[in-house]
Amino acid sequence: MSLRHWIVFAGLLVSTAASAAGIKIENAWARATAPGQKVGGAFLTLTADTDAALVGAASPVATEVELHSMAMDKGVMVMRRMERIDLPMGKAVTLEPGGLHIMLIGLKAPLKVGEPLPLVLTVRDAKGKTQQIKVSAEVREPGGMPMQHGHQH
């Protein structure tokens, strides 16, 4: 095999490894907040190419960002901080209101409809390798519906 063929082959191996460790992120959004409101929530869907876990998040708009679960326990809504959210290979994991979500604590300013919310997600694969993923979430009306563009007659 010539040197040129080895270089091409090595390039294919690197690109295969990068796609094998890939994380697909869809529908990233956050709820708009009222003036003075100090907490907010962010939501999205993650699909990993390999077994992995979401182990952290950060944003410059909040002093603290945590992973949370929300569930009903004997008729009472219970929210708990989580150290990780598992991302089984090939399975879409949705963070949504009333379930798993990203909690923004100590908001520095209200989240306004139409403004982007910068997030950095930390994902760890099954081998312990971590990666940081930058995400821009769309801030939506409190009901979570996307902004409507255009007009009706």
Side-chain angles (χ1 to χ4, degrees):
M1 196 179 244
S2 73
L3 178 60
R4 182 172 181 224
H5 286 112
W6 276 111
I7 292 170
V8 170
F9 180 69
L12 289 173
L13 287 176
V14 169
S15 65
T16 301
S19 66
I23 304 290
K24 181 179 175 185
I25 298 172
E26 298 176 290
N27 195 29
W29 66 281
R31 284 185 172 148
T33 58
Q37 186 175 336
K38 293 297 179 187
V39 296
F43 315 96
L44 47 88
T45 299
L46 301 108
T47 307
D49 288 351
T50 185
D51 287 337
L54 178 62
V55 295
S59 178
V61 305
T63 57
E64 211 174 329
V65 181
E66 298 178 352
L67 306 178
H68 278 219
S69 69
M70 186 180 291
M72 294 297 289
D73 184 19
K74 299 177 187 169
V76 177
M77 184 68 73
V78 178
M79 191 178 323
R80 289 193 172 93
R81 182 174 186 210
M82 300 182 68
E83 295 300 316
R84 61 185 282 137
I85 296 173
D86 289 328
L87 305 173
M89 179 177 66
K91 181 181 178 199
V93 176
T94 301
L95 281 58
E96 59 191 350
L100 300 171
H101 60 279
I102 296 170
M103 192 74 160
L104 305 158
I105 302 166
L107 289 173
K108 297 173 183 175
L111 302 179
K112 296 180 182 177
V113 173
E115 291 184 358
L117 167 66
L119 293 168
V120 177
L121 307 179
T122 302
V123 176
R124 182 178 301 133
D125 68 20
K127 295 178 183 175
K129 182 180 178 188
T130 60
Q131 65 175 312
Q132 306 269 308
I133 303 168
K134 291 182 181 180
V135 177
S136 180
E138 173 189 11
V139 177
R140 299 179 183 171
E141 292 292 339
M145 297 304 295
M147 291 185 351
Q148 298 297 318
H149 298 283
H151 60 277
Q152 296 177 333
H153 293 276

